[in-house]
Structures are given as C-alpha cells and as structure tokens.
Amino acid sequence: QAQMVESGGGSVQAGGSLSVSCSVSRYRNCRYDMSWHRQAPGKAREFVSSIADEGATTYADSVKGRFAISQNNAENTVFIEMKMYNLKLEDTAIYICKAYQRPSFWCPSANIWGQGTQVTVSS
C-alpha cells in the first residue's frame, strides 16, 4: 500500500506566494499520476492541477498562469510540489493531494488521498 505525506501551505496576504508538496512511497514498481484538489468552506472539492507520470501537466482555468506543479520521481518515492503565486482571497482552501495508482500486473488501480493542508489568503 502506498503511503502519502503532505506538507506546506500556511497563511499569506493576497498577492503573495506559497507552496504545497506531497510525497508518495511507491508500492512495488507502480506508477502514479498525481494531482492537487482543494475544498473551500461550504464548497465542493475542485480540481486544481495534475501531473502525469510522464510529466504532462493540466491546470484549472482559475489557477492557470499562477500555479506551477512539478515532480521529482525516484525509485521508491514520487515527490510533487505546487508553487502558488499571486494568491487571491478565493484561493483559500484545504489543498488535498491525490495519487492515482495506475493498474498493471503488480499494481491494482487505486486512488490515494492525503489529509490536506490549509492555505489561507488574507487581504
């Protein structure tokens, strides 16, 4: 079973920058597509950004040009970081990492969710 650890986040004034990171210990030689999601109080969880195992990235329209996701894959660990620039009040949310374990001979398909880390943007 893959294990996930999240870190980062915090509080910043509007226009500032923060980063969040997430690492997943590989189960066997499984491959992972990683993504960030966020949930603001009283709102549904929403997609923020993703990075495929091969490195292709996608972003929600609301964060394009302001957020940047990157990865550093090692034999036993997948590490991703999302740098957030020019933060807005509406970016305030709990940011949650997700790892999609790709199915293969040794690896069952699975979604692994983190506990989330708080990002608060104030005026």
Side-chain angles (χ1 to χ4, degrees), residues 51-89:
I51 186 162
D53 182 73
E54 299 87 356
T57 58
T58 60
Y59 296 92
D61 287 343
S62 59
V63 306
K64 276 181 184 175
R66 300 189 298 119
F67 290 13
I69 188 171
S70 61
Q71 69 179 1
N72 184 354
N73 288 342
E75 181 176 354
N76 297 316
T77 305
V78 177
F79 176 84
I80 64 167
E81 183 178 32
M82 184 169 69
K83 295 184 178 180
M84 303 176 287
Y85 304 98
N86 189 23
L87 283 160
K88 303 178 180 181
L89 297 178

Side-chain angles (χ1 to χ4, degrees), residues 38-46 89-94 96:
R38 66 186 181 186
Q39 187 160 19
K43 294 189 177 181
R45 186 174 294 185
E46 64 175 2
L89 297 178
E90 53 265 38
D91 293 320
T92 295
I94 296 173
I96 306 157

Side-chain angles (χ1 to χ4, degrees), residues 5 30 41-42 67 83 100 111 115:
V5 177
C30 300
F67 290 13
K83 295 184 178 180
Y100 169 65
N111 285 315
Q115 299 277 10

Side-chain angles (χ1 to χ4, degrees), residues 5 7 11 58-59 98 100 106 116 123:
V5 177
S7 61
S11 298
T58 60
Y59 296 92
K98 175 189 162 187
Y100 169 65
W106 293 110
S123 58

